[in-house]
Amino acid sequence: MRPEDLAETRQLPLFRNMLQANFAALMQGAYAQRFPAGLELIRQGERADFLHVVVEGSVELYAGWQGRETTMAVVQPVGTFILAACVRDLPYLMSARTLEPSRLLLVPASDLRAIFRNDPEFAVSIVGELAGAFRSMARHAKNLKLRNSRERIACYLLKQSQLAGGVDRFVLLVEKRLVASYLGMTPENLSRAIKALEADGVSLKGQTVTITDRARLMAACPPDVLIDGPDPERMSGGVSLPGPALPVR
């Protein structure tokens, strides 16, 4: 593995406080691999053999049932998935596929469990990571169950604006079909909801979002810290999509 990959991985909240000797032992059994776009990395229902660390590219986590699919999250560098299945030695609840050419670090789940039992600081980090993922999942479930489609997209766009520094114009970094799936709607419903929100102060052209009346948009869906967050420290994984980018001038 490249030294820079190890250095970036070491700085993740999951690994930063563990003993160096244990980190070195964990990484000794790990390996890095490149994958093309659109490749299925894991499939729901399979046993968890590896913790995956995304060091380049992006990976979509998704789930399926009876021919239907939904996007659960998109993981970007440097982020991990799926920790809970690795810790419990249970089947994956989600599948994963690359959205673009990606480079991943694969850490054997058996080694992770062994060091978890012997390194208290690593165990504390794992508990913190799992707690953060649970809170992220609970917020996402509340958003889906308590808000209608118009409110979900309004609050999503307001949160993206906040992540971009409170700007009124920003670029979504994921396709609209992924945004729609993540928010529990079809692409057609997403387009209709965005069209309806134009009267409330927001427009979307391509991937570029422009907020023309922030007060009206916030009235359409008042942000709620118990749904929208954030918590103090970002976790490596969770239920989320990548943040936005500022438009090129």
Side-chain angles (χ1 to χ4, degrees):
M1 282 185 293
R2 301 182 307 187
E4 55 265 35
D5 292 341
L6 291 175
E8 283 191 305
T9 302
R10 179 65 160 146
Q11 292 307 308
L12 285 171
L14 182 61
F15 301 112
R16 69 168 65 129
N17 294 324
M18 67 189 302
L19 292 173
Q20 177 58 36
N22 287 337
F23 178 75
L26 186 62
M27 293 299 108
Q28 191 169 22
Y31 64 95
Q33 188 169 342
R34 291 190 178 276
F35 298 94
L39 182 74
E40 185 177 66
L41 300 169
I42 62 174
R43 183 176 299 174
Q44 63 182 30
E46 294 178 345
R47 209 74 181 184
D49 294 327
F50 295 95
L51 177 71
H52 294 67
V53 183
V54 182
V55 293
E56 293 178 18
S58 57
V59 172
E60 178 192 5
L61 304 182
Y62 65 99
W65 184 76
Q66 299 282 48
R68 283 170 273 175
E69 281 189 4
T70 186
T71 299
M72 300 297 292
V74 173
V75 184
Q76 290 187 305
V78 176
T80 65
F81 67 94
I82 302 174
L83 179 60
C86 294
V87 172
R88 293 291 311 278
D89 191 19
L90 291 173
Y92 297 118
L93 296 181
M94 295 180 281
S95 301
R97 60 187 165 219
T98 53
L99 290 174
E100 57 186 312
S102 301
R103 191 166 188 268
L104 278 77
L105 179 66
L106 280 70
V107 181
S110 57
D111 294 348
L112 183 143
R113 288 191 293 273
I115 294 176
F116 168 74
R117 294 184 177 91
N118 296 314
D119 190 319
E121 289 300 325
F122 184 44
V124 169
S125 296
I126 284 179
V127 171
E129 191 85 1
L130 294 176
F134 169 79
R135 288 176 64 80
S136 175
M137 182 72 75
R139 283 196 172 104
H140 190 53
K142 289 173 68 175
N143 187 48
L144 293 176
K145 289 175 176 290
L146 297 175
R147 289 168 170 165
N148 61 36
S149 59
R150 178 171 167 273
E151 290 167 338
R152 292 199 296 273
I153 187 61
C155 280
Y156 176 77
L157 296 177
L158 282 168
K159 186 171 183 178
Q160 296 303 296
S161 170
Q162 179 188 19
L163 291 172
V167 299
D168 290 334
R169 191 165 177 263
F170 53 89
V171 178
L172 299 176
L173 291 183
V174 293
E175 298 176 39
K176 283 180 278 188
R177 67 173 182 85
L178 293 179
V179 174
S181 183
Y182 174 70
L183 294 177
M185 59 185 79
T186 65
E188 294 75 19
N189 285 339
L190 176 71
S191 296
R192 284 194 291 269
I194 292 174
K195 187 69 176 176
L197 282 170
E198 288 182 0
D200 292 303
V202 66
S203 66
L204 177 63
K205 292 185 178 179
Q207 296 292 106
T208 302
V209 177
T210 303
I211 297 175
T212 56
D213 192 329
R214 185 174 295 270
R216 286 182 66 91
L217 188 60
M218 291 182 71
C221 185
D224 185 328
V225 69
L226 297 180
I227 299 178
D228 306 301
D231 276 342
E233 184 172 22
R234 182 186 72 85
M235 295 291 106
S236 303
V239 182
S240 61
L241 294 182
L246 297 176
V248 178
R249 297 186 181 278

